[in-house]
Amino acid sequence: MNINDVAQKSGVSKTTVSRVLNNEKYVSDEKREKVLSAIKELGYAPNWVARSLVTKKTNLIGVIVPEVDLSFYYSIISEMERIAFERGYKLFICNTLHRPEKEIEYLSLLKEMRVDGLILMHEEMSEQSIKEIKKWGITSLFLSGEILNSDIPSVLIDNYAASKAMTEYLIQLGHKKIQFIAGNESEHATLNSRLAGFLEAVQHSSEEITYKIAYGDYTMESGYEIMKKTLENKKYPTAVFAISDDLAVGAMNCLLDYGFQIPKDISVVGFDASKISIVCRPRLTTVEQPIELLAKTGIEKLIANIGSSIKEKKTYVPYQLLIRESCARFKGGEGLSNLERIRH
Amino acid sequence: MNINDVAQKSGVSKTTVSRVLNNEKYVSDEKREKVLSAIKELGYAPNWVARSLVTKKTNLIGVIVPEVDLSFYYSIISEMERIAFERGYKLFICNTLHRPEKEIEYLSLLKEMRVDGLILMHEEMSEQSIKEIKKWGITSLFLSGEILNSDIPSVLIDNYAASKAMTEYLIQLGHKKIQFIAGNESEHATLNSRLAGFLEAVQHSSEEITYKIAYGDYTMESGYEIMKKTLENKKYPTAVFAISDDLAVGAMNCLLDYGFQIPKDISVVGFDASKISIVCRPRLTTVEQPIELLAKTGIEKLIANIGSSIKEKKTYVPYQLLIRESCARFKGGEGLSNLERIRH
């Protein structure tokens, strides 16, 4: 079957058929309609783009993620794929490895492929990329974070409230020396909110809390290195709050390797409740970002709004503190002296 | 710019241009050449497929993976993406979740998208899918495994030799009761090779070795459940050999949760050297599948052969035994009596 059959069936010229297939102007709505219905009836699908002209959709969703090799991201991607597939959509995963030129190249490919929508998961996207997305006008949504000063809608947890609640939990356990391990030092929204929640709880506590903030990236290796530096400086916290589970597990492994007991000597908490937080021993106390609910809410909201834009600027899904095994009540100076015995 | 400009520039009719764009027959090579060079000169790219007609390539590689949420797979995918991107290729990841109907649907999408090549990572692909790939004639390659009775070429380690070597290591440490944790009970090549290597070492040892083989899937949860069942049956091995790190870490966590010490009470070894094997404590002794080298060899071999087929049926990359902290010499009956004390 070829373009001739479509022309014959629809009663228009081959040139008109080709114009419709190539999405050109100067075809009357009536003729375009005839061609499209002929294509449909004949099941003529010369290629994937031609088909998308019939349905006006490609059923592809682009996903931009900074690093697929972090446990939170691959869990959420796997869940998104499952839900999207059930609804007839496929994901095109773009792993930018924090390189702005990869963002631009992937965006241009996604545009050429005429994807129907975009899920963003990379808060440190370049301004140029955000401008491109705006110019493109594609239905898009930020999942589990947000981009400040942009009008891209988000589906996320209330990071400020969650971080404040977790800090209050540590303070209630009697911890007064807390190490906060942040991601990198850039101005992105999630880090800001989590840091602000932490500072709010610390500064408005009735106890006098001392704290230190350390910056790295979001990897286990980074958590390990930051903890190592802290221990080598002999500034022992009694609790560590890391803003990702990968960072927390890295810190925890460093403590274990230096002979500390968790939570007896030092308490550790993380953020995300990704798979790694249950795999490690002791099991990590952490803030749950509900991965299934985030993936479901995000994908469904995007699909429901394809071709238009999403009205709600921010959709919160509920977070939860998962109290597991990595925290203990701080018992006076005991923890610290124990540390000093080991290290000196 | 539109199809008219292309027609004018190339000196052929619009119908001919449209025929070329839609990849139809009945266009002379000479005219096709003229149209393609006009398209090139004008930079006319009505869509992604039209562009691919010019270059005869889409620079897309399809990747079929059974479950992106396993540490070995997401590590290798991340590495493949990095290398492919550097060489101008993008990956389209198809996560089949072990469902044959997803394989078929993804294959048909990849075909419509005219991907240039295919990386397969799912040994239990249905026969129908393998037939489809053969019929399609696309350049394809199996990475880190193989499909028996197919002529799809593979890049992998020598699983038989690696498994045999690891088993001999356990036997040298004095272990005579070994639990082998396999993946599922199907007839796929990697499982067969690893099991055969294990049996070869066990059956040809000068010591009398007793062993048990348990089947599950490849997840941590499965490793945990298998270990739990073994402990509840009070059949205590002195060493556990799991054929994936996820399975091994699951088994290890179960042992830790039941109060056993690793490696003092029981030794555990895994397979793959995925990230999780370094994250866990004690660090897992495992067989290294060199992820970077596998990814690099696979992607480069595929790209070099796009448009034709790969000659070498099997390309081995070197494995290595990574001796870390999860194994100890078995000291007579001590381990076992220790277990009995805890469990009875």
Side-chain angles (χ1 to χ4, degrees):
Chain A
M1 185 177 314
N2 65 27
I3 201 166
N4 288 310
D5 302 303
V6 178
Q8 208 172 352
K9 178 87 187 173
S10 54
V12 305
S13 71
K14 282 191 286 177
T15 308
T16 303
V17 174
S18 125
R19 278 182 177 160
V20 173
L21 286 178
N22 286 288
N23 213 12
E24 288 177 64
K25 291 171 188 179
Y26 313 119
V27 181
S28 71
D29 284 351
E30 191 198 344
K31 280 187 180 168
R32 187 180 297 274
E33 208 42 64
K34 275 184 185 166
V35 170
L36 294 181
S37 65
I39 286 175
K40 240 182 211 164
E41 271 184 58
L42 291 168
Y44 172 65
N47 63 46
W48 180 71
V49 170
R51 192 187 55 173
S52 78
L53 289 171
V54 180
T55 60
K56 298 270 178 207
K57 284 171 61 185
T58 56
N59 282 36
L60 272 189
I61 294 171
V63 179
I64 296 189
V65 62
E67 174 54 276
V68 83
D69 200 7
L70 285 177
S71 50
F72 179 70
Y73 290 121
Y74 64 75
S75 294
I76 208 162
I77 286 174
S78 183
E79 189 60 22
M80 283 202 295
E81 191 276 344
R82 198 184 60 75
I83 300 167
F85 192 93
E86 277 172 14
R87 286 164 182 59
Y89 286 82
K90 314 286 187 298
L91 306 183
F92 189 94
I93 313 296
C94 306
N95 193 20
T96 65
L97 297 172
H98 301 276
R99 283 167 50 195
E101 75 277 16
K102 288 189 81 169
E103 290 167 23
I104 294 294
E105 195 169 327
Y106 268 125
L107 280 174
S108 123
L109 176 65
L110 293 173
K111 205 170 165 184
E112 282 186 21
M113 291 175 93
R114 306 186 187 185
V115 299
D116 291 334
L118 214 50
I119 295 272
L120 308 173
M121 299 183 72
H122 182 23
E123 284 194 336
E124 293 158 273
M125 256 189 152
S126 70
E127 274 180 45
Q128 198 195 341
S129 301
I130 294 163
K131 240 184 243 169
E132 280 295 324
I133 294 168
K134 227 169 181 166
K135 216 176 88 190
W136 182 6
I138 182 92
T139 310
S140 51
L141 182 146
F142 204 99
L143 195 57
S144 84
E146 57 190 314
I147 293 184
L148 293 174
N149 309 320
S150 86
D151 51 8
I152 298 170
S154 314
V155 171
L156 74 175
I157 64 162
D158 184 340
N159 283 293
Y160 172 84
S163 184
K164 184 165 171 280
M166 184 55 101
T167 310
E168 285 166 353
Y169 167 71
L170 289 175
I171 294 173
Q172 274 165 28
L173 286 177
H175 293 286
K176 290 178 189 165
K177 292 185 181 182
I178 306 178
Q179 163 108 39
F180 188 82
I181 303 184
N184 51 19
E185 213 162 339
S186 78
E187 282 293 305
H188 73 269
T190 296
L191 169 56
N192 282 353
S193 306
R194 291 182 190 174
L195 185 54
F198 171 74
L199 292 174
E200 171 68 22
V202 157
Q203 288 164 353
H204 291 84
S205 167
S206 58
E207 304 288 339
E208 193 177 326
I209 312 293
T210 58
Y211 61 90
K212 220 193 129 193
I213 297 165
Y215 294 92
D217 54 39
Y218 294 89
T219 62
M220 280 181 222
E221 291 76 10
S222 180
Y224 196 102
E225 285 310 312
I226 288 170
M227 200 67 238
K228 198 175 160 188
K229 225 167 161 179
T230 302
L231 295 177
E232 282 169 356
N233 287 337
K234 301 195 169 110
K235 303 264 184 211
Y236 302 124
T238 68
V240 173
F241 183 178
I243 67 161
S244 82
D245 290 338
D246 292 80
L247 278 170
V249 171
M252 207 151 85
N253 278 342
C254 177
L255 289 166
L256 294 173
D257 290 349
Y258 273 74
F260 298 131
Q261 287 188 305
I262 303 167
K264 197 173 158 262
D265 299 327
I266 296 188
S267 292
V268 179
V269 301
F271 212 110
D272 290 343
S274 52
K275 215 176 193 176
I276 193 76
S277 71
I278 325 170
V279 170
C280 61
R281 292 294 181 274
R283 292 172 185 84
L284 189 66
T285 288
T286 187
V287 176
E288 186 190 33
Q289 293 214 60
I291 283 176
E292 284 181 31
L293 188 59
L294 273 170
K296 190 170 155 28
T297 310
I299 283 286
E300 285 182 350
K301 197 172 272 291
L302 187 80
I303 291 174
N305 289 283
I306 274 171
S308 64
S309 61
I310 297 166
K311 274 175 203 69
E312 307 86 333
K313 188 78 192 66
K314 241 185 215 191
T315 306
Y316 281 133
V317 296
Y319 69 88
Q320 212 180 325
L321 299 194
L322 296 184
I323 307 301
R324 295 191 183 126
E325 305 162 354
S326 62
C327 292
R329 177 161 294 283
F330 178 66
K331 296 188 184 90
E334 187 201 300
L336 195 58
S337 67
N338 193 18
L339 302 189
E340 277 162 351
R341 183 176 54 76
I342 294 169
R343 293 284 306 156
H344 291 263
Chain B
M1 187 176 313
N2 64 27
I3 200 166
N4 287 310
D5 303 301
V6 177
Q8 208 171 350
K9 178 87 187 174
S10 55
V12 304
S13 70
K14 283 191 285 177
T15 309
T16 303
V17 175
S18 124
R19 276 180 178 162
V20 173
L21 287 177
N22 286 289
N23 213 12
E24 288 177 63
K25 291 170 184 176
Y26 313 120
V27 181
S28 71
D29 283 351
E30 191 198 344
K31 281 187 181 169
R32 188 181 297 273
E33 208 42 65
K34 276 183 183 167
V35 170
L36 293 181
S37 64
I39 286 175
K40 241 182 212 165
E41 272 184 57
L42 292 167
Y44 172 64
N47 61 46
W48 182 71
V49 169
R51 194 188 53 172
S52 78
L53 287 171
V54 180
T55 60
K56 298 271 181 205
K57 283 172 63 186
T58 56
N59 282 37
L60 272 188
I61 294 170
V63 178
I64 297 189
V65 61
E67 173 48 288
V68 82
D69 199 5
L70 286 177
S71 49
F72 179 69
Y73 290 121
Y74 66 75
S75 294
I76 208 162
I77 285 173
S78 183
E79 188 59 21
M80 282 201 294
E81 191 276 344
R82 198 183 60 74
I83 300 167
F85 192 93
E86 277 171 13
R87 286 166 183 57
Y89 286 81
K90 313 286 187 298
L91 306 182
F92 190 96
I93 313 296
C94 307
N95 194 22
T96 64
L97 297 172
H98 301 275
R99 283 167 50 196
E101 75 276 17
K102 288 189 81 169
E103 289 166 24
I104 295 294
E105 196 169 327
Y106 269 124
L107 279 174
S108 123
L109 176 64
L110 292 174
K111 205 170 163 182
E112 281 187 20
M113 292 176 93
R114 305 184 189 187
V115 298
D116 291 334
L118 214 50
I119 296 272
L120 307 173
M121 299 181 72
H122 182 24
E123 284 194 337
E124 292 159 274
M125 258 191 150
S126 70
E127 274 180 47
Q128 198 194 341
S129 300
I130 295 164
K131 239 184 243 167
E132 280 295 325
I133 294 168
K134 225 168 180 167
K135 216 175 89 191
W136 181 5
I138 182 90
T139 311
S140 51
L141 182 146
F142 204 100
L143 195 57
S144 85
E146 55 190 314
I147 293 184
L148 294 174
N149 309 319
S150 85
D151 51 8
I152 298 171
S154 314
V155 171
L156 74 174
I157 63 162
D158 184 339
N159 283 291
Y160 173 83
S163 183
K164 184 164 171 281
M166 183 57 100
T167 310
E168 286 166 351
Y169 168 71
L170 289 175
I171 294 172
Q172 275 165 26
L173 286 177
H175 294 285
K176 289 177 189 167
K177 291 183 180 185
I178 306 177
Q179 164 107 42
F180 188 82
I181 303 184
N184 50 20
E185 213 162 342
S186 77
E187 282 293 306
H188 72 269
T190 297
L191 169 56
N192 281 354
S193 306
R194 293 182 190 174
L195 184 54
F198 171 75
L199 292 174
E200 171 68 21
V202 157
Q203 288 163 354
H204 291 84
S205 166
S206 57
E207 303 289 338
E208 194 177 326
I209 312 293
T210 58
Y211 61 90
K212 222 193 127 191
I213 296 164
Y215 293 93
D217 54 38
Y218 294 89
T219 62
M220 281 182 222
E221 292 76 10
S222 180
Y224 196 102
E225 285 311 312
I226 288 170
M227 201 66 239
K228 197 174 161 189
K229 224 167 162 180
T230 302
L231 295 177
E232 281 168 358
N233 287 337
K234 301 193 171 113
K235 304 264 187 210
Y236 303 124
T238 68
V240 174
F241 183 178
I243 67 160
S244 82
D245 290 337
D246 291 81
L247 277 169
V249 171
M252 210 151 82
N253 278 341
C254 176
L255 289 166
L256 295 172
D257 290 348
Y258 273 74
F260 298 131
Q261 288 189 305
I262 302 167
K264 196 173 157 261
D265 297 327
I266 296 187
S267 293
V268 179
V269 300
F271 212 110
D272 290 342
S274 52
K275 216 175 191 177
I276 193 75
S277 71
I278 323 170
V279 170
C280 61
R281 291 294 181 274
R283 292 173 185 83
L284 189 65
T285 289
T286 187
V287 175
E288 185 189 34
Q289 292 214 58
I291 284 177
E292 283 181 32
L293 188 60
L294 274 170
K296 188 169 154 34
T297 310
I299 284 285
E300 285 182 350
K301 199 173 269 291
L302 188 80
I303 291 175
N305 289 283
I306 275 170
S308 63
S309 61
I310 297 167
K311 276 174 202 72
E312 306 85 335
K313 191 76 193 65
K314 242 185 217 190
T315 307
Y316 280 132
V317 296
Y319 69 87
Q320 213 179 326
L321 299 195
L322 297 183
I323 307 302
R324 296 192 184 125
E325 307 162 353
S326 62
C327 292
R329 179 160 293 284
F330 178 66
K331 298 188 182 90
E334 186 202 300
L336 195 59
S337 66
N338 193 19
L339 303 188
E340 276 161 352
R341 183 177 53 75
I342 294 169
R343 294 282 306 154
H344 288 263

